[in-house]
Amino acid sequence: MTITRTTLWLLLLPGVGYLVLFFGLPLVLALLTSLGMGTIGTNEGFTLRHYADLFSDSVYRDGIRYSLYISVAPTLASLAVALPLAVVLQATFPGKKLFLTLYKVPLVVPGIVAAFIVMILFDRGGEMSRILKPVGLSLPKLVRDDWSLGVIIALAWKSIPFMTLIIGGALASIPADLAAAARSLGANRRVVFWQIELPMALPGITAAVLLVFVGSTGAFAVPSLLGPIYPKPLSVWMYEAAYQQNDWGLATAMGIVMSAIACAVLLIYYRLTHGLNRAIGGETR
Amino acid sequence: MVANVQIIGLRKTFGPTVAVDDFSLTVAEGEFVALLGPSGCGKTTVMRMIAGITDPDQGQITLSGQRIDALMPERRHVGLVFQSYALFPHMSVARNVAFGLKMRRQTAGQIAVKVAETLALVDMSSYADRLPRELSGGQQQRVALARAIAIEPRLLLLDEPLSNLDAKLREQLRDDLKALQRRLGITTIHVTHDQSEAMALADRVVVMNAGAIVEVGTPRDLYQTPKTRFTAQFLGHTNIIPARVQFGRMITPWGELLGAAPLGAGAVQLSVRPEDLGLAACDQGAGHVTEVTFLGAEVEHRIAIAGLMLRSRSSGRDAPVHPVGTKVVLSFPADLHHLSQEPAL
Ligand SMILES: Nc1ncnc2c1ncn2[C@@H]1O[C@H](COP(=O)(O)OP(=O)(O)O)[C@@H](O)[C@H]1O
Ligand SMILES: [Mg+2]
C-alpha cells in the first residue's frame, strides 16, 4: 500500500490537529491581540504600540527581569538539592521507604498552599522565629524581602521532589555494570559520577530543569503572596493589565514576551548542556 | 606484571541464597582457567568478588602475594569484561579504550599510541570513532576486550564474553581470544556455561555447581576421567552404568563384563562416553536398539538393556547402522572408568 498525501494528512490529523487547536490557535490569537488586531478588547488595527509601551516603561522592564530571576533562581536551587538527593536515593538505607513517600508530599500541595506554609513558617513572628528566639538566633527577612528568598524557597520546595523523581529515574536506568566497569578501569566513585552517570542522566536532568523553569516562569500566586512590593513579575502585571485596566493588548504582549524569553532560555540551555556533554563526556562521537 | 592468583575459602550469600561457598582456587602466572557451570551456580559472583564489585562474606584473594580482597576495585588492576560488555554508550570506541589509561594519568600521547595499538590487536582500528550502538555484537565484544587489556591488567576476568553471539561468530572469536591470550600471556579467568568453549580455551577447567567447586582439571582429564557424575554429564554426554565388583569380576545389571579390569570395590558407577561404547548385532544380545539418529558426522544408537537406556555413537562414512529392534551386544573400552567421588547407589 502506498500512503498518499491525503491519507498521510488524515493520519496526522488527530495529533497535529490537537496541537493546532489548543496550542497554535491561542498563541496566534494572543499574538494578533498584542498587535492590536485582537478579538478580545478593542480592535484598533496593526500597531506595535503595546510592545513599545512594554519596553519603554521601566516598571515592565524590571518586571521582565524579575520574572526571569524568580524562574531561574528556584530552578537552580531545586537542581542543587534534587541532584544530590537523587544520587543519595539510588543507595539503600534504613527508612528509605518512608522517606520516599514523605519527600513527594510537596508534589500534591498547590503553589498557593506552599506560599502560605512558607509565610507561616518564615514571616517575621512566624513559627521559625518563635522557635529560634529562645536560642538567640534570628531569621533573615524571608517574606517580601529584596532577594525574594521566600518566593525562591516556596517555588523550589514545590519542584524539588518533581526534579528528584525525574533525575532519580534517569540515574536508575543506567545499567549498574557501567559503574562497575569504570571502577575496575581505575575510576573512583567521584569520577564515575562525573564522567559516566552525569552525562548519561543529562537528558533527564535537562527535561527536569526545563519543566521546572517553564513552570516557575508563569508563577503567580507565590510571588504575589511572598514577593516584594516592587518589582512585580510579569505574570502579576499581566493580570493587572487585563483585569484592572482592561488593556488586553498590553497583557497579551507581555504574554508573548514571556513566552519568547522562555523559549530563548530553553535554547540557550540546550546549547549549554550540549557543550557540557562534550566537555564531560568528551566529544559525542 | 602478570600475576598469579590464590583464592581461599571465598563465600557469599544473598539473604538465604548461598551464591558461592568455600571457593578455593590457585591460578598460575599466564594460565587460562575456565569457570564452567550451569546458569545461577555463582560464576559471576566469583568474578565480581575478584574484581571488587561485590564484597565477599568470607575468604581471601591474593594476587602475586598481595591481599586484594579489601582493596577498592579501582586499586586492584584487574581487567574485567562483562557479559553485557558494559561499554560507555556516550563515548566513542577510542574513548572507551582510553578511559582506563586516563585514570592512570598517562599523557595524551601515550594514550593515543596505546589505544591505536590495542584496537589493532583486536582488529577494530577502523572503528575508533564509532559509538558503541553503531557496532555489531561481535565488534562490541572486541572493544570491551580491548578496553580491559589496554590497562595491561595483572589478571583478566571474562564473564561469558561470547555468550551473546551467534554460533559461527562465537567460534571465531573464541579462537581469536585464545590466540590473543597466548600472545599477551595475561593470567585469565574465563566464565562460561558452554562446555565446548571451556575445553577449547582453557588450560584448566573449574567445574562449579550450586555455588561450590565440583572438580578441577585439564579439559582432557575432566572429559576422559571425571570423578563425579555432574562433571561427566556436564562435559558432553555419558552413559552411567551401576556395577558391582565381586571376586575380581565386574558385574553389570545384565551380567559380567568379560575381560574388564576390576575397578574400585563393591558398588561403583561406570561412566562410558557414547563414542567409546561399541555395538554389534547379535541375536543373543541382551540389548536392543530403540532409536537411531543420523547426526551428520556421527550415527547415534539408543540401546535399551536391563532397564537402562544407553547411547552409542560411531563416526565415519562406514559407521554401521542397526535398525530399531535389532538385538545387540555392547563392547566396552579396555580402560573402563568409574566415578570415584560418586557415592555408591
Ligand atoms: N545481587 C544479588 N542479589 C540477590 N541474589 C543474587 C545477586 N547476585 C546473584 N544472586 C544469586 O546468586 C546466585 C549466583 O548468581 P550468579 O553468580 O550470577 O550465577 P552465574 O553467573 O553462575 O549464572 C543465583 O542464585 C543468583 O540468583
Ligand atoms: Mg553469570
Side-chain angles (χ1 to χ4, degrees):
Chain A
M1 192 188 90
T2 55
I3 296 180
T4 63
R5 219 163 250 262
T6 342
T7 37
L8 192 67
W9 277 111
L10 280 175
L11 285 172
L12 287 174
L13 195 62
V16 176
Y18 174 83
L19 278 179
V20 168
L21 196 63
F22 292 104
F23 187 74
L25 196 61
L27 202 64
V28 170
L29 288 180
L31 187 64
L32 287 177
T33 310
S34 73
L35 292 170
M37 303 184 290
T39 44
I40 19 176
T42 47
N43 191 333
E44 47 189 332
F46 178 79
T47 172
L48 287 174
R49 186 170 63 83
H50 302 301
Y51 288 95
D53 288 352
L54 183 52
F55 286 108
S56 58
D57 194 333
S58 71
V59 168
Y60 297 136
R61 283 205 307 268
D62 286 347
I64 292 175
R65 217 172 294 134
Y66 183 68
S67 274
L68 213 56
Y69 173 68
I70 61 159
S71 41
V72 170
T75 307
L76 293 181
S78 307
L79 186 63
V81 178
L83 186 58
L85 189 59
V87 171
V88 169
L89 289 180
Q90 301 301 308
T92 48
F93 52 86
K96 181 176 176 182
K97 234 186 173 142
L98 181 68
F99 184 82
L100 283 184
T101 317
L102 287 182
Y103 96 98
K104 290 187 198 119
V105 165
L107 278 180
V108 294
V109 175
I112 191 156
V113 179
F116 274 113
I117 292 175
V118 169
M119 206 185 248
I120 291 164
L121 281 178
F122 295 113
D123 204 358
R124 290 267 161 92
E127 283 306 320
M128 275 300 171
S129 50
R130 226 172 285 172
I131 293 170
L132 291 178
K133 203 164 215 163
V135 210
L137 289 172
S138 70
L139 275 179
K141 194 172 181 220
L142 288 177
V143 172
R144 303 204 172 277
D145 61 306
D146 293 341
W147 287 99
S148 293
L149 291 177
V151 177
I152 294 171
I153 290 172
L155 290 175
W157 183 77
K158 248 203 84 59
S159 45
I160 283 168
F162 176 74
M163 256 194 181
T164 308
L165 214 58
I166 297 184
I167 297 176
L171 286 173
S173 68
I174 302 172
D177 278 358
L178 293 187
R183 292 295 296 276
S184 79
L185 288 167
N188 57 30
R189 277 175 214 282
R190 200 169 44 80
V191 173
V192 169
F193 176 73
W194 287 106
Q195 299 202 12
I196 310 294
E197 290 168 337
L198 190 65
M200 290 195 65
L202 210 52
I205 297 173
T206 297
V209 164
L210 295 186
L211 289 170
V212 166
F213 169 77
V214 170
S216 316
T217 313
F220 180 81
V222 172
S224 308
L225 282 167
L226 299 177
I229 308 295
Y230 187 90
K232 281 187 175 34
L234 226 44
S235 55
V236 174
W237 290 127
M238 247 171 99
Y239 171 81
E240 290 192 358
Y243 289 100
Q244 280 163 20
Q245 297 154 27
N246 204 23
D247 188 348
W248 286 88
L250 183 61
T252 47
M254 286 186 205
I256 295 290
V257 167
M258 215 151 94
S259 308
I261 290 172
C263 286
V265 170
L266 298 194
L267 284 177
I268 293 168
Y269 182 82
Y270 262 121
R271 287 307 271 282
L272 281 180
T273 50
H274 194 69
L276 189 67
N277 210 352
R278 289 174 98 98
I280 51 189
E283 69 280 21
T284 29
R285 308 204 103 234
Chain B
M1 279 220 315
V2 171
N4 60 50
V5 187
Q6 199 177 12
I7 301 172
I8 304 169
L10 216 51
R11 178 183 166 88
K12 179 71 189 178
T13 55
F14 295 103
T17 319
V18 182
V20 174
D21 192 21
D22 196 20
F23 185 99
S24 300
L25 177 68
T26 310
V27 184
E29 254 167 50
E31 195 181 12
F32 196 129
V33 165
L35 286 191
L36 175 67
S39 177
C41 74
K43 307 180 296 292
T44 295
T45 307
V46 169
M47 297 296 246
R48 294 173 69 92
M49 288 192 283
I50 299 173
I53 297 156
T54 300
D55 288 329
D57 297 342
Q58 271 174 36
Q60 296 184 6
I61 305 167
T62 310
L63 285 195
S64 295
Q66 182 204 6
R67 276 287 288 276
I68 61 161
D69 42 87
L71 287 183
M72 287 281 154
E74 61 265 31
R75 309 288 302 277
R76 296 193 182 193
H77 213 101
V78 166
L80 183 55
V81 174
F82 290 79
Q83 187 170 1
S84 61
Y85 310 140
L87 295 176
F88 307 131
H90 57 300
M91 297 185 193
S92 66
V93 164
R95 284 181 43 82
N96 264 278
V97 177
F99 187 86
L101 304 170
K102 282 189 187 149
M103 294 303 121
R104 284 171 175 70
R105 308 233 174 281
Q106 299 194 358
T107 65
Q110 287 172 315
I111 292 175
V113 169
K114 188 72 191 176
V115 167
E117 202 179 287
T118 315
L119 284 178
L121 214 52
V122 296
D123 223 2
M124 285 294 291
S125 301
S126 47
Y127 298 93
D129 294 330
R130 295 243 190 133
L131 285 175
R133 64 166 173 271
E134 297 166 340
L135 301 177
S136 72
Q139 292 168 337
Q140 290 185 24
Q141 198 278 333
R142 286 165 186 270
V143 176
L145 183 62
R147 187 177 66 178
I149 59 178
I151 61 170
E152 296 178 10
R154 295 190 283 176
L155 167 67
L156 183 60
L157 303 174
L158 308 170
D159 191 356
E160 311 221 15
L162 306 177
S163 68
N164 289 336
L165 307 172
D166 55 65
K168 259 265 152 40
L169 193 58
R170 190 155 60 222
E171 229 163 79
Q172 191 204 327
L173 285 187
R174 187 181 78 190
D175 296 344
D176 292 352
L177 182 62
K178 182 165 181 165
L180 190 65
Q181 193 270 346
R182 295 284 183 275
R183 187 161 146 203
L184 299 176
I186 308 180
T187 313
T188 303
I189 303 181
H190 177 109
V191 157
T192 178
H193 62 261
D194 178 344
Q195 50 99 9
S196 61
E197 188 178 308
M199 291 203 284
L201 282 170
D203 300 319
R204 270 190 312 148
V205 176
V206 178
V207 181
M208 282 183 75
N209 187 30
I213 294 181
V214 177
E215 233 178 302
V216 182
T218 63
R220 195 179 196 92
D221 285 349
L222 288 182
Y223 187 79
Q224 292 180 345
T225 57
K227 294 191 181 69
T228 61
R229 175 188 273 260
F230 183 83
T231 304
Q233 290 180 331
F234 203 77
L235 295 182
H237 296 292
T238 195
N239 297 298
I240 308 265
I241 301 164
R244 263 177 308 121
V245 178
Q246 260 177 353
F247 311 117
R249 297 188 304 183
M250 182 71 83
I251 315 292
T252 65
W254 63 88
E256 184 183 349
L257 275 191
L258 292 173
L263 294 162
V268 295
Q269 292 189 48
L270 302 176
S271 166
V272 183
R273 297 284 178 193
E275 63 268 26
D276 293 335
L277 187 64
L279 192 65
C282 170
D283 288 340
Q284 280 79 50
H288 66 273
V289 176
T290 61
E291 208 180 312
V292 187
T293 314
F294 179 65
L295 297 168
E298 293 176 313
V299 179
E300 181 175 288
H301 290 88
R302 296 211 178 194
I303 303 113
I305 186 166
L308 299 173
M309 191 59 78
L310 306 182
R311 294 181 201 219
S312 160
R313 283 188 178 191
S314 38
S315 56
R317 287 184 81 84
D318 310 322
V321 176
H322 305 287
V324 171
T326 312
K327 295 247 179 215
V328 289
V329 287
L330 303 174
S331 55
F332 288 79
D335 51 342
L336 264 184
H337 175 68
H338 80 114
L339 304 171
S340 56
Q341 284 181 6
E342 209 56 47
L345 287 178

Coordinates of all heavy atoms in Angstrom, one line a residue, chain B residues 4 31 45 73 106 111 122 133-134 168 193 205 227 236 239 267 339 343:
Chain B
N4 N 50.0 -14.2 39.6 CA 49.3 -15.5 39.9 C 48.2 -15.2 40.9 O 48.2 -14.1 41.6 CB 50.3 -16.5 40.4 CG 51.0 -16.1 41.7 OD1 50.3 -15.7 42.7 ND2 52.3 -16.2 41.7
E31 N 48.3 -18.4 33.2 CA 47.4 -19.6 32.9 C 46.0 -19.1 32.5 O 45.6 -18.0 32.9 CB 47.3 -20.4 34.2 CG 46.7 -21.8 34.0 CD 46.5 -22.6 35.3 OE1 46.7 -22.0 36.4 OE2 46.2 -23.8 35.1
T45 N 29.3 -14.2 40.5 CA 29.6 -13.7 41.8 C 31.0 -13.8 42.1 O 31.7 -12.9 42.7 CB 28.7 -14.4 42.8 OG1 27.3 -14.3 42.4 CG2 28.8 -13.8 44.2
P73 N 37.9 -1.5 44.0 CA 38.1 -2.1 42.7 C 39.1 -1.3 41.9 O 39.8 -2.0 41.1 CB 36.7 -2.1 42.1 CG 35.8 -1.3 43.0 CD 36.5 -1.3 44.4
Q106 N 48.0 8.8 32.2 CA 49.0 8.8 31.2 C 48.9 10.1 30.3 O 47.8 10.7 30.3 CB 48.9 7.6 30.3 CG 49.0 6.3 31.1 CD 49.2 5.1 30.2 OE1 49.1 5.1 29.0 NE2 49.3 3.9 30.9
I111 N 48.5 7.8 25.6 CA 47.2 7.2 25.5 C 46.8 6.9 24.0 O 46.4 5.8 23.6 CB 46.1 8.1 26.1 CG1 46.3 8.2 27.6 CG2 44.7 7.6 25.8 CD1 45.4 9.1 28.3
V122 N 42.8 -6.1 18.4 CA 41.5 -6.8 18.3 C 40.8 -6.5 17.0 O 39.7 -6.7 16.8 CB 40.5 -6.4 19.4 CG1 41.1 -6.8 20.8 CG2 40.2 -4.9 19.4
R133 N 26.7 1.9 20.1 CA 25.5 1.5 19.5 C 25.6 1.3 18.0 O 24.7 0.8 17.4 CB 24.3 2.5 19.9 CG 24.5 3.9 19.3 CD 23.2 4.6 19.4 NE 23.4 6.0 19.1 CZ 23.8 7.0 19.9 NH1 23.9 6.7 21.2 NH2 24.0 8.2 19.5
E134 N 26.7 1.8 17.4 CA 26.9 1.7 15.9 C 27.7 0.5 15.6 O 28.1 0.3 14.4 CB 27.6 3.0 15.4 CG 26.7 4.2 15.6 CD 27.5 5.5 15.4 OE1 28.8 5.5 15.4 OE2 26.9 6.5 15.1
K168 N 28.5 -19.2 14.9 CA 29.7 -19.1 14.0 C 30.7 -18.1 14.5 O 31.9 -18.3 14.6 CB 29.2 -18.6 12.6 CG 29.1 -19.8 11.6 CD 30.3 -19.8 10.8 CE 30.6 -21.2 10.2 NZ 29.5 -22.0 9.7
H193 N 29.1 -21.1 30.5 CA 28.3 -22.3 30.8 C 28.4 -23.3 29.6 O 27.6 -24.2 29.6 CB 26.8 -21.8 31.1 CG 26.2 -21.2 29.9 ND1 26.1 -19.8 29.8 CD2 25.6 -21.7 28.8 CE1 25.5 -19.6 28.6 NE2 25.2 -20.7 28.0
V205 N 40.1 -26.4 33.7 CA 38.7 -26.1 33.8 C 38.2 -26.3 35.3 O 38.6 -27.3 35.9 CB 37.8 -27.0 32.9 CG1 36.3 -26.7 33.1 CG2 38.2 -26.7 31.4
K227 N 35.5 -37.4 37.9 CA 35.4 -38.1 39.2 C 33.9 -38.1 39.7 O 33.6 -38.9 40.5 CB 36.3 -37.5 40.3 CG 37.8 -37.6 40.0 CD 38.5 -37.2 41.2 CE 40.0 -37.3 41.0 NZ 40.5 -36.2 40.0
G236 N 29.7 -32.9 27.9 CA 29.3 -33.8 26.9 C 28.3 -34.8 27.5 O 27.8 -34.7 28.6
N239 N 27.3 -42.3 29.5 CA 26.4 -43.4 30.0 C 26.9 -43.8 31.4 O 28.1 -44.0 31.6 CB 26.5 -44.7 29.1 CG 26.1 -44.4 27.7 OD1 24.9 -44.1 27.5 ND2 27.0 -44.5 26.7
A267 N 30.1 -51.6 45.2 CA 29.3 -50.9 44.1 C 30.1 -49.7 43.5 O 30.7 -49.0 44.3 CB 28.0 -50.4 44.7
L339 N 33.3 -43.4 38.4 CA 33.2 -42.1 39.0 C 33.6 -42.3 40.5 O 32.8 -42.7 41.3 CB 31.8 -41.6 38.9 CG 31.3 -41.5 37.5 CD1 29.8 -41.1 37.5 CD2 32.1 -40.4 36.7
P343 N 29.0 -41.4 45.4 CA 28.6 -42.4 46.4 C 27.9 -43.5 45.6 O 27.3 -43.4 44.6 CB 27.6 -41.7 47.2 CG 27.1 -40.5 46.5 CD 28.3 -40.1 45.6

